[in-house]
Amino acid sequence: MEQVLYSECLQPFEGQLTNPALRETIDQMKAFVAVPTLTLLNWSDSEIAVPLVLEVALPPLGNVDGVDIREKEPVVVVFSTSGYPRIAPKVFTDRLDFPDSVSPHMFLRNDGRPPGFCLVRGGLSAANEWYSNKRISDVLIRVSNWLRDAACGELALNGDSFDPLRLTSYEGTVTYDYDQLAKIVRQSSSLYLNGNFARLQFELKNTKDSFNRTLIQVVPLDKLEAEQAHEAEEGRKSKDDPTRKVLCRGLLIWSESDTPIDRYNVELPKDWDTFKNEFCGQHLIDAEALEQELCRPQSGFYVYVPIIVAIKRPKTVFGFSDAIEFINFELEQKEDPDYPDRMDPGAPLSYSSHVQPLTPAKAAAISGFNYMQEKETLIAGAGALGSKIALHLIKCGARLLIADDDWLLPHNLVRHGLNAAYTFHYKAKAMAREAIRLFPNETVRVTPFAAKADILLQKDLGEVCSRILDFTASGSFQNELIKADIGEGIEVARGYLSDTGQLGILLVEGAGRNPRIDDLQAQLYHHAIQDTQVSAWLRRESELNSKTDLVTVGVGCHSDTTVLSDDIISVHAGIMSGLVKSASQAPPSKEGMVYLNQVSQEPFFQSATARHTFLPVDVMASQNPSDWEIRFSSGIVDLLKAQMRQASPNETGGVLIGCANFKTKTIHVTGLVDAPPDSKADRCCFFRGKEGLAQTVQHITEATGGQIGYIGEWHSHPKGPDAMSGTDTETVTRFKKTYQQEVTPLPVFLLIVTPRAVLPFVF
């Protein structure tokens, strides 16, 4: 019997091909199939169809499962007359009896036309992109290979999974969590006992560009009245109320049989009769009870009813976690006028595309980085820098506790991670709301704390937090964080901007908070003595802050006079976020890290990141009751002992350099200056000289922008005692009188080194 071709019902194309690329392509097709002419037919007002026959290399032992693929297969190639080659050609089988029910990778039949071949995973837009650097011969070869693979049973890319239907011509989208509905089907969690359907509540989200229904909840039988009350409450709200939700009811139906369906139905029903009696029947689904529920008085269904059909497949559906494929219909409800308890057989159906809601796990998978942890990460400061970093982490699945007591003001929007909808809201609360918008079906991902972050440091953070990230640009909060007893199990990092925003600095503490953020900052400043780039930065900061000897802790954006562009903030935020994420996956490090990200405008916009590592410091308490703590950079204590041994039996000494923080009562010793050549020493005394000392200290102070300088004196007692001598006491008294005359007086810091101890004294 002669096969029936769909192209036989098409009318000849009698127009003129004005598209030169299309004319050239048709000539290439003639050469490919070795025919002198090709017939051009009308496919639509803007498309032409070209029927031709392709040769297929069938398996020598016969087609798998006897599938009816032939050595010569007629196909129809469809071109857009004006959009080609930007719009890729589509290829359809020309056989009306083509075995589409056993062939994955075929689009649905539409308007009585045969199904099309899915040649590129991702649909028509992906096909356009694929064709951008291909020729028509590549398309025809791909179709021929598709047919060969179908004959060999090798169309599925992954033999362990089931390829779902290729759906096109959607009339909207429906959003739900696949795993949630699959669990309902597997557990047969029906609305009624021994039933095969569940009742769903959706929120209708319409815009000028899209039509969406998002699943809000699965409604059990004892919650039907509450569901109706909720819908009524939302319906009473003004249409101008931004909190108003348009709610509707839908259904999920499945087969009570566990028999899997392995055949494809590429012609979905367009009316209720076909849906109930053919489609559901083919998939072993009894839709009788579903129809009764739809027609039940006071059932509360609106005119348009989403109906999700679960089809049990023999293998796990590709891209999902279970062997269930969902087809999403929308019924335009009409009761049969002759039978009030029945649906009108002609009630129309359309179908929608499934959209998986964004979950933290999905966000982590998409971003390629899993930041999902049991405990929260505390982010102190949700300003321009902190908000952007927080959003990066949220989109990796992080659970955050965000502390900020400031509002989002209009000028903040130039650099902030949030948009204008949150103006005059507390930043912390706005960040929490943004997380809810990202993950509407999740429990709380962001806990807001709209108060001073240092209040949280007084709580037992170890119970809820695994990490503290400080982006406050606040010296006051830094001091509180330094002094806070947060326990050794919490990791701490601090990020801020300096150098008018061109330099991003991230300090990452070592294990057990040693080295601490203030240790890292002091050692970074000391590093300027040998690093010209760090020195140049500190010198610039010193010039900008000529009235004080403090480096700007951080560039804040509280004022609308701060000149700093959003792209620079974004670069720093992206770098710091990446570093924080990397640190979260690495084992605890004994070393502390300082990352410097420099943005420059010349010769073009660019950034470069450098890393400096610092070893744990030696920590000692003052011997006298002054509450001061002294923190020695790694190696300094060993160097002091070595110099004592080398000079023994005589005493020796020198000058200590570093910095002091009166708020935290901390002295950081970052280096030594050896005894000047005019110093004198014997077995009982050491008299530190002055030759060249002032110049050496001045060089250090200038190189570090005034951040590192003279901080104290040290000398040895090689024969003891392990205490201050009378001469030491007199020296301290003399120094105290001298220091009190300074504008910013230093503490009097004296260090005594003996064979048995290193003894710091602070007055």
Side-chain angles (χ1 to χ4, degrees), residues 383-424:
L385 182 64
S387 66
K388 291 177 183 288
I389 294 174
L391 286 172
H392 285 314
L393 298 182
I394 290 169
K395 292 175 183 179
C396 291
R399 293 176 60 242
L400 303 181
L401 170 60
I402 298 181
D404 196 305
D405 66 336
D406 204 2
W407 291 345
L408 184 68
L409 299 177
H411 74 270
N412 296 142
L413 298 174
V414 174
R415 293 174 286 252
H416 206 273
L418 296 173
N419 60 37
Y422 297 106
T423 307
F424 299 111

Side-chain angles (χ1 to χ4, degrees), residues 143-324:
V143 175
S144 180
N145 291 341
W146 189 104
L147 292 163
R148 177 203 62 202
D149 292 343
C152 296
E154 297 177 352
L155 270 181
L157 294 178
N158 185 344
D160 296 329
S161 63
F162 188 89
D163 275 297
L165 286 169
R166 266 47 179 184
L167 304 179
T168 57
S169 303
Y170 306 116
E171 295 187 16
T173 58
V174 57
T175 302
Y176 54 83
D177 181 24
Y178 174 93
D179 291 333
Q180 180 185 10
L181 296 196
K183 183 178 180 181
I184 292 172
V185 174
R186 289 301 180 196
Q187 296 179 350
S188 294
S189 301
S190 178
L191 178 66
Y192 301 111
L193 186 64
N194 299 323
N196 68 330
F197 66 88
R199 184 151 165 166
L200 312 174
Q201 185 181 55
F202 292 88
E203 179 184 358
L204 181 62
K205 297 181 178 180
N206 282 353
T207 69
K208 293 180 179 179
D209 303 317
S210 65
F211 176 85
N212 172 265
R213 296 186 190 275
T214 297
L215 179 64
I216 301 298
Q217 62 175 333
V218 179
V219 185
L221 187 61
D222 60 349
K223 299 293 184 182
L224 288 182
E225 291 186 5
E227 173 201 37
Q228 294 172 1
H230 184 201
E231 291 176 4
E233 179 185 355
E234 293 295 331
R236 286 191 293 269
K237 292 181 179 179
S238 168
K239 291 184 178 180
D240 297 328
D241 187 340
T243 67
R244 181 177 184 265
K245 295 181 179 179
V246 180
L247 303 177
C248 67
R249 303 164 193 182
L251 295 163
L252 166 66
I253 186 171
W254 58 88
S255 171
E256 296 177 89
S257 170
D258 290 330
T259 302
I261 306 297
D262 61 357
R263 299 181 69 82
Y264 292 89
N265 189 328
V266 297
E267 191 164 10
L268 294 183
K270 298 294 182 66
D271 57 62
W272 176 257
D273 183 66
T274 308
F275 171 81
K276 176 185 174 183
N277 297 311
E278 294 184 21
F279 181 82
C280 288
Q282 292 168 355
H283 297 96
L284 308 180
I285 297 172
D286 183 357
E288 190 68 32
L290 182 80
E291 184 175 35
Q292 293 176 10
E293 176 67 12
L294 285 167
C295 298
R296 179 176 59 83
Q298 287 83 45
S299 64
F301 289 100
Y302 298 108
V303 174
Y304 295 96
V305 183
I307 299 177
I308 302 174
V309 179
I311 302 174
K312 296 175 181 177
R313 297 301 194 183
K315 299 177 182 178
T316 300
V317 176
F318 183 83
F320 293 98
S321 60
D322 206 331
I324 297 174

Side-chain angles (χ1 to χ4, degrees), residues 93 98-100 103-108 115-118 146 165-166 266:
T93 177
F98 188 82
D100 48 39
S103 302
H105 300 274
M106 296 204 79
F107 294 112
L108 296 181
F117 300 105
C118 179
W146 189 104
L165 286 169
R166 266 47 179 184
V266 297

Side-chain angles (χ1 to χ4, degrees), residues 20-37:
L22 183 51
R23 290 199 303 267
E24 181 181 357
T25 294
I26 291 175
D27 289 338
Q28 293 171 358
M29 292 173 66
K30 295 176 187 176
F32 184 85
V33 295
V35 296
T37 60

Side-chain angles (χ1 to χ4, degrees), residues 7-8 10-14 17 26 29-30 33 35-43 48-53 75-79 94:
S7 60
E8 293 174 349
L10 298 177
Q11 297 299 313
F13 174 73
E14 297 178 350
L17 285 182
I26 291 175
M29 292 173 66
K30 295 176 187 176
V33 295
V35 296
T37 60
L38 288 172
T39 302
L40 305 186
L41 304 172
N42 275 320
W43 185 264
I48 63 168
V50 183
L52 50 83
V53 176
V75 299
V76 178
V77 185
V78 176
F79 296 93
D94 200 9

